[in-house]
Amino acid sequence: MPREILVDGVTINDDSDCYVIAEIGHNHQGSLEQCKQMFQAAKECGASAVKLQKRNNRELYTKEMYDSPYDNRNSYGKTYGEHREAVEFEREEYGELLKYAGEIGITIFSTAFDVPSADFLAKLDMPAYKVASGDLTNIPLIKYIAQIGKPMFMSTGGGTMADVERAYAAASAINPNVCVMQCTSGYPAEFSELNLRVIETYRAAFPDCVIGLSSHDNGIAMALVGYVLGARVVEKHFTLNRAAKGTDNAFSLEPPGLKRLVRDLQRGREAMGDGEKFCYPSEEQPLRKMGKKLVATRDLPVGTVLAAEDVAIRSPNDGLPPYELDNVLGKKTSRAIVADENIVFEALS
């Protein structure tokens, strides 16, 4: 069975382009219009999908955490609950964003952080779901989302291999359309902690599963490394302004960065090739100038027994290749050869 999932009509497998998710999160700052601008920018950059986050804040947090003071430069409220509510979209906003995404031709889906949020998204008929790293051990939520029957992207930041195996087993027993994503839950993640070789570990452990990378690092290069290692989904946080208010903006990609990331991943797929080594037609002319051949170093009369000093290796490459040198030394010329003339087997006896 090939590792493959189908998301909103797009097939993701080992032979496909990388599926690039622009993680909007709450970088929209609670503004519907700014969120639409981000959707449009992500579309123009070539992203496959945009992703939001959905929380039922009263359900998700303890009263103590909801009411806890949250007074800092990134806060949108005096308490953590007020802050979260300020950047939360509800049914009307989601409906408008779904419509807008359809108009511009980009897939939209969301992370469900709790069961009520999963129900909320299901009523909107979201084409896919994300399970956040913080819910890797939340098997009840994973099973609940799995039974909705839509493709699932599951981040694994902060988890052990046992945690990942448990979560994948729970999800895949109900829903085969699961993508397991290597992730390091630093904000931003240190390069020394990305551990991209886990992608290979996941590919070996889950041979029927599409593997991805949710990358919180600064920059775009690691996504291409992840693709080469076998990731076919890449998620990167996205913003219109890295200096904007909000904890995620600083390590998010702005449009020029996202555009380069998509471009480089597409080039990476092409550049991987099929593994068979051969000479391309485009190489023939350059190698005619750069390659070498065997020529005479001096005028050689008939009957000359060729010695090393009689043969030179020179460009262009339109004669016997240098690897034939041992096969011409010691041979006798059957006709005269002038200096710089190609040495050919037909002139030797």
Side-chain angles (χ1 to χ4, degrees), residues 88-163:
E88 198 69 53
F89 287 148
E90 298 303 335
R91 177 63 185 256
E92 185 177 346
E93 290 94 344
Y94 263 89
E96 194 166 333
L97 290 170
L98 276 163
K99 180 183 176 183
Y100 183 71
E103 289 172 353
I104 66 173
I106 193 167
T107 295
I108 171 179
F109 66 99
S110 183
T111 302
F113 281 83
D114 47 75
V115 168
S117 294
D119 287 338
F120 173 95
L121 297 170
K123 289 176 183 176
L124 294 167
D125 196 27
M126 282 286 172
Y129 289 77
K130 175 77 185 292
V131 175
S133 291
D135 284 311
L136 183 63
T137 59
N138 190 349
I139 301 303
L141 179 62
I142 288 171
K143 287 182 175 180
Y144 194 86
I145 292 173
Q147 59 83 30
I148 295 172
K150 296 297 178 72
M152 299 171 61
F153 298 93
M154 194 159 58
S155 274
T156 60
T160 65
M161 192 63 189
D163 291 330

Side-chain angles (χ1 to χ4, degrees), residues 215-228:
S215 191
H216 297 163
D217 62 293
N218 275 314
I220 64 174
M222 297 305 102
L224 184 56
V225 176
Y227 181 84
V228 171

